[in-house]
Amino acid sequence: MGKFIKISMLFILFFVNNSFANNTLKTAIEKEKILIGFYGRPNTKSLGILGQSSLDELVKKMHEKKLFYEKELGDKFEVQMAFHIIYGLATPDAGRRNDYMLRLSHKSLMSFINRANKENFKVIIDLQMGTNSPSEAVKIVLEYLKYDNVHLAIDPEFKIPKHRRYPPGRYVGHIFAHDLNEVQKLVNDYIEENNLNKKDLIVHMFHPRMLRKKDEVEKFDNINLIYNIDGHGNPAVKIKIYNNLYTQEEQDIAKSGFKIFYETDTKIMSPKEILGFEESFGRKIWEKPYYINYQ
């Protein structure tokens, strides 16, 4: 009996030690995730890379970008791609809804959602809002969150007040923390009601006044909040804007994003510069971004 107990104990110790070793190894080789988005509006070349090619050509370019990042960064990162689609486009004309917005057709959006599912890409539905509140803009597209690969973005730059009628873009728009909290609650509740997976919610900004009272932004269990920093021009300026708008203290609330503009950036930064592994023009990114988007 004693011999049996001794053998059993040795088996248990072996099992525990082996499981611990496997879990330790799994943790050690787990890759850090990076999301890379191609931004724009279908069939609209002036608004970004997403609309400058056919869907097949776009997918080819995105796979090439993925391979480029994997080659540059080695095997430490897991790279996922995303269609970042301007769904609600701000326009100078108020339009029939009187909201200064032009929505993308359901058919066009679904062609990207279906293709993204095939390619294992994400889809980010971007909303420029116009006179709509963030919640009003998001309600229009909530139904698309039922697709596992679909996520959301809101852009305060093109938000205009309901009581002041002027074209979006004349002044830099803004939202408040309570607006963002309302959107997060709206999406969080929809996720729970429909038993959906956690969703990314991206907020564009290049100036601190675009998201006011930022310290009052709340964290929601089903929302992966991302502050996407949209500065353009010289890399040193872009990095300065990023470092000022996203700090270590904000990591408990949101991840970060960094945007590359093919047309207006004076130099296209390398993956290692974007992720803060190398300096660019004498400056260095302090907090590594999770999301990198190309326009």
Side-chain angles (χ1 to χ4, degrees):
M1 186 68 176
K3 185 177 181 181
F4 175 79
I5 292 172
K6 185 175 181 180
I7 292 171
S8 297
M9 290 299 295
L10 288 172
F11 176 80
I12 291 170
L13 285 170
F14 171 80
F15 179 80
V16 171
N17 288 336
N18 191 52
S19 297
F20 178 79
N22 286 337
N23 289 335
T24 302
L25 179 61
K26 183 179 179 181
T27 301
I29 63 174
E30 188 173 352
K31 296 181 179 181
E32 189 170 352
K33 293 182 179 180
I34 295 176
L35 180 63
I36 298 175
F38 274 32
Y39 176 97
R41 187 172 170 96
N43 304 312
T44 311
K45 293 183 179 182
S46 62
L47 294 177
I49 189 171
L50 182 136
Q52 294 172 357
S53 308
S54 70
L55 186 51
D56 287 340
E57 292 171 341
L58 177 65
V59 167
K60 181 182 177 183
K61 290 178 182 178
M62 292 172 71
H63 281 298
E64 289 172 350
K65 180 68 74 173
K66 183 176 187 293
L67 289 173
F68 173 67
Y69 264 78
E70 290 171 343
K71 182 179 178 181
E72 287 289 303
L73 301 175
D75 59 359
K76 295 180 180 179
F77 292 89
E78 177 185 336
V79 179
Q80 185 173 18
M81 304 300 295
F83 296 130
H84 191 140
I85 302 170
I86 305 172
Y87 173 88
L89 177 66
T91 64
D93 184 79
R96 61 185 178 86
R97 298 187 190 91
N98 202 33
D99 60 0
Y100 293 87
M101 295 301 301
L102 181 63
R103 300 173 189 172
L104 192 67
S105 72
H106 172 75
K107 181 180 179 181
S108 182
L109 180 58
M110 285 307 305
S111 68
F112 279 85
I113 291 174
N114 291 331
R115 186 60 182 269
N117 187 54
K118 180 180 177 181
E119 303 293 341
N120 193 30
F121 290 175
K122 287 185 176 183
V123 174
I124 300 164
I125 298 176
D126 199 288
L127 304 157
Q128 295 185 349
M129 293 184 283
T131 59
N132 293 317
S133 71
S135 293
E136 288 171 340
V138 166
K139 282 178 182 177
I140 297 166
V141 296
L142 270 181
E143 63 180 297
Y144 294 107
L145 293 181
K146 291 182 179 179
Y147 297 94
D148 287 341
N149 60 345
V150 173
H151 305 264
L152 297 174
I154 56 176
D155 193 347
E157 180 180 0
F158 301 100
K159 175 77 181 72
I160 56 177
K162 291 182 186 294
H163 64 285
R164 294 182 64 194
R165 299 289 175 167
Y166 51 78
R170 178 175 293 179
Y171 308 104
V172 176
H174 65 272
I175 61 173
F176 289 87
H178 70 82
D179 296 314
L180 180 52
N181 291 337
E182 286 178 5
V183 169
Q184 290 196 90
K185 186 178 187 308
L186 178 67
V187 175
N188 191 80
D189 290 349
Y190 189 82
I191 289 170
E192 291 181 349
E193 290 165 5
N194 293 279
N195 195 28
L196 304 176
N197 294 327
K198 192 171 186 177
K199 297 293 183 178
D200 294 341
L201 175 60
I202 296 169
V203 184
H204 294 280
M205 66 185 76
F206 53 82
H207 192 281
R209 291 181 61 80
M210 292 175 68
L211 175 55
R212 302 185 183 187
K213 299 187 177 181
K214 199 192 322 185
D215 59 333
E216 297 178 11
V217 173
E218 300 172 7
K219 188 174 181 65
F220 288 75
D221 291 339
N222 296 306
I223 306 294
N224 180 32
L225 187 61
I226 301 165
Y227 294 154
N228 190 60
I229 314 305
D230 291 345
H232 62 88
N234 183 285
V237 174
K238 291 169 64 72
I239 293 171
K240 182 179 180 181
I241 292 171
Y242 176 88
N243 287 342
N244 286 339
L245 290 180
Y246 187 76
T247 63
Q248 189 174 29
E249 290 74 22
E250 291 173 313
Q251 289 183 356
D252 291 337
I253 296 295
K255 295 183 179 181
S256 64
F258 190 88
K259 191 165 187 178
I260 298 295
F261 292 84
Y262 282 118
E263 298 296 327
T264 56
D265 285 355
T266 59
K267 172 187 177 294
I268 304 302
M269 294 169 62
S270 72
K272 290 182 179 177
E273 290 171 335
I274 294 169
L275 293 171
F277 298 136
E278 295 179 356
E279 287 188 354
S280 184
F281 284 66
R283 290 187 181 272
K284 189 174 181 180
I285 283 178
W286 294 336
E287 306 298 334
K288 183 163 64 265
Y290 159 73
Y291 180 45
I292 304 163
N293 55 129
Y294 288 84
Q295 182 174 337

